[in-house]
Amino acid sequence: MRLIGQAILLALTMQLTVSAFADDAEDNDIYAEFLEDGNPAEFSEINGEELWKTKAGPNNVSLEQCDLGKGPGVVEGAYVELPRYFSDVNKVMDLEQRLIHCRMTLQGLTQEEATKQPFSKPGKASDIEPLVAYITAASKGMKMAVKLEHPMEKEAYEIGKKLFFHRAGSHDFGCVTCHSADNKRIRLQNLPNLLDKKQAQKVYATWPAYRLSQGEVRSMQHRLRSCIRQQRFPNPKYASDAITALTMYLAKSADGAVYAAPAIKR
Amino acid sequence: MAKPMRIRAKLKGDHVEAKILIQHDMETGLRKGSDGAKIPAHFIKTLTVKYEDKVVLDTVMGIAVSKDPFLSFKFKGGEKGGKLTVTWVDNSGDTRTDTTAVK
């Protein structure tokens, strides 16, 4: 957003004259204030609601009977309890896995069709991103409350935790390499310490997010995929159980956070 | 197809603060898709904001403005309940007009 960019630069310059030592947190707050009421994720939420209610697929039905964990059709509050165990598939699923499941079972799409475009690309919009925006927005203001009661939920959490600390690859990196200390950054990006409860809460409660650098609402799947790439690991399979496990670990670390996404970020 | 804007206008002391969020791809014509072909240019050329019958902002926009533009500005002389009308026209001739009342 170049227009905004200029305005922010101006604001930052002004801020710096007041305090030459304005820290990153303050700058980020100014950034947030500037973008108040300017989050295009709102449009994604609206588009997603339309997609949710539109009949589609070989069965020509909408997703309105999709059970996201709180009963068929209940969208409100569903996201703050995800990932969770679903008895109909005897599996722990995150939001996107569950969406794929519903598109296949309700709408009759094949797996390939249901996962064709998980992320928008230039000129090619994803239908999953807006659905995710709509569903997550329906949990705004609620507290993160992943249950971790079922043995498979506990197992997913433990696997996710292991993955977080697992170091490997050409640089011997793990999530832990970049996200386990305070006040670190790469280039100009602050690296949140995800082992710190407060920071983990703030981070998790603000995903998915409209990314100004990409002009799209990006899901947790996308965020983790980017970080796994930064870690020099092979690309994970979209909506794989490993990503769900990692998400479970992060979601539980954010327990109690007031959910505030889709947010707007760099 | 032109999609609706989100307009907020609030009286703050002696001025109205207007915030306009627009849905538009603002394609520069310089990007390539995954198939290697250029994505055709598609961007807003002009945007006008009227308070009642008076133009309070008249802009020429181009490809330097980002996707989903967000404009925020202030003007004097507005009152609660007054009508703010925003219109844009893009390079394909598509246009959109939305209206809101000052709060």
Side-chain angles (χ1 to χ4, degrees):
Chain A
M1 291 210 136
R2 265 151 274 189
L3 259 186
I4 288 185
Q6 282 175 6
I8 287 168
L9 256 183
L10 252 177
L12 290 183
T13 319
M14 277 159 28
Q15 174 74 12
L16 286 172
T17 54
V18 177
S19 154
F21 303 102
D23 67 10
D24 286 340
E26 255 177 74
D27 292 353
N28 278 341
D29 289 345
I30 302 170
Y31 197 71
E33 195 184 311
F34 251 99
L35 300 178
E36 193 193 336
D37 298 334
N39 186 354
E42 249 183 66
F43 298 128
S44 279
E45 293 165 23
I46 295 167
N47 297 344
E49 180 170 11
E50 220 173 278
L51 281 170
W52 179 259
K53 293 178 176 167
T54 304
K55 290 179 180 162
N59 299 346
N60 197 32
V61 293
S62 76
L63 288 168
E64 285 163 299
Q65 286 307 304
C66 178
D67 183 355
L68 297 169
K70 296 179 77 77
V74 181
V75 177
E76 208 159 290
Y79 188 69
V80 287
E81 294 178 18
L82 286 167
R84 71 189 295 155
Y85 172 78
F86 288 92
S87 56
D88 57 354
V89 284
N90 191 32
K91 228 175 109 112
V92 173
M93 290 176 146
D94 78 334
L95 172 58
E96 288 171 80
Q97 284 183 320
R98 193 61 185 174
L99 264 178
I100 295 164
H101 170 80
C102 285
R103 299 177 94 194
M104 290 169 65
T105 52
L106 294 174
Q107 299 184 320
L109 300 177
T110 63
Q111 171 130 18
E112 205 190 339
E113 289 164 340
T115 56
K116 205 169 85 193
Q117 183 98 39
F119 313 123
S120 298
K121 290 185 193 146
K124 264 195 211 158
S126 158
D127 39 9
I128 293 181
E129 283 166 348
L131 281 168
V132 166
Y134 163 61
I135 294 161
T136 53
S139 283
K140 259 184 212 170
M142 297 178 196
K143 285 201 170 142
M144 279 306 305
V146 167
K147 291 228 164 48
L148 224 56
E149 278 165 7
H150 192 275
M152 287 178 94
E153 292 173 341
K154 290 181 183 153
E155 189 193 19
Y157 174 85
E158 290 304 329
I159 293 171
K161 189 172 178 181
K162 256 202 182 123
L163 286 172
F164 189 88
F165 288 93
H166 181 70
R167 288 167 51 176
S170 61
H171 291 52
D172 197 29
F173 275 171
C175 313
V176 65
T177 317
C178 296
H179 293 298
S180 62
D182 291 336
N183 305 318
K184 295 275 184 229
R185 61 178 172 82
I186 291 182
R187 301 179 300 269
L188 285 173
Q189 274 67 64
N190 296 323
L191 291 171
N193 176 0
L194 296 175
L195 299 181
D196 175 82
K197 173 124 185 168
K198 272 216 171 103
Q199 293 178 55
Q201 286 182 320
K202 190 173 173 195
V203 164
Y204 196 87
T206 47
W207 279 93
Y210 182 91
R211 294 203 60 183
L212 290 161
S213 52
Q214 305 181 7
E216 305 287 354
V217 169
R218 295 304 194 188
S219 61
M220 202 59 188
Q221 288 275 341
H222 190 274
R223 178 65 258 177
L224 294 181
R225 188 187 181 83
S226 307
C227 272
I228 287 168
R229 184 177 45 76
Q230 297 195 75
Q231 206 168 295
R232 279 74 170 174
F233 277 26
N235 261 343
K237 200 173 142 232
Y238 174 65
S240 68
D241 293 341
I243 298 287
T244 296
L246 204 45
T247 305
M248 180 62 115
Y249 172 65
L250 295 175
K252 188 64 196 175
S253 308
D255 206 42
V258 177
Y259 190 67
I264 183 162
K265 301 207 179 201
R266 181 189 69 85
Chain B
M1 193 191 65
K3 295 177 194 152
M5 286 175 255
R6 185 90 164 82
I7 311 167
R8 296 168 174 95
K10 221 179 187 175
L11 186 67
K12 287 190 167 175
D14 66 344
H15 65 268
V16 173
E17 184 177 80
K19 290 180 171 179
I20 306 163
L21 185 60
I22 306 158
Q23 288 187 84
H24 201 287
D25 279 341
M26 298 300 286
E27 278 295 346
T28 60
L30 305 171
R31 291 206 302 170
K32 289 174 181 170
S34 40
D35 56 359
K38 270 196 180 163
I39 303 167
H42 185 213
F43 56 90
I44 295 173
K45 287 180 82 171
T46 59
L47 179 139
T48 323
V49 184
K50 275 186 177 170
Y51 176 71
E52 296 295 337
D53 289 329
K54 196 176 166 197
V55 174
V56 288
L57 185 75
D58 192 5
T59 67
V60 177
M61 286 166 63
I63 61 169
V65 177
S66 80
K67 177 176 176 175
D68 299 335
F70 177 50
L71 289 170
S72 177
F73 69 100
K74 296 167 182 170
F75 64 91
K76 285 188 176 168
E79 280 166 24
K80 265 189 193 169
K83 215 173 80 176
L84 202 68
T85 307
V86 184
T87 300
W88 58 251
V89 181
D90 74 16
N91 68 325
S92 71
D94 207 358
T95 178
R96 172 93 202 176
T97 298
D98 288 292
T99 299
T100 197
V102 175
K103 281 195 180 127

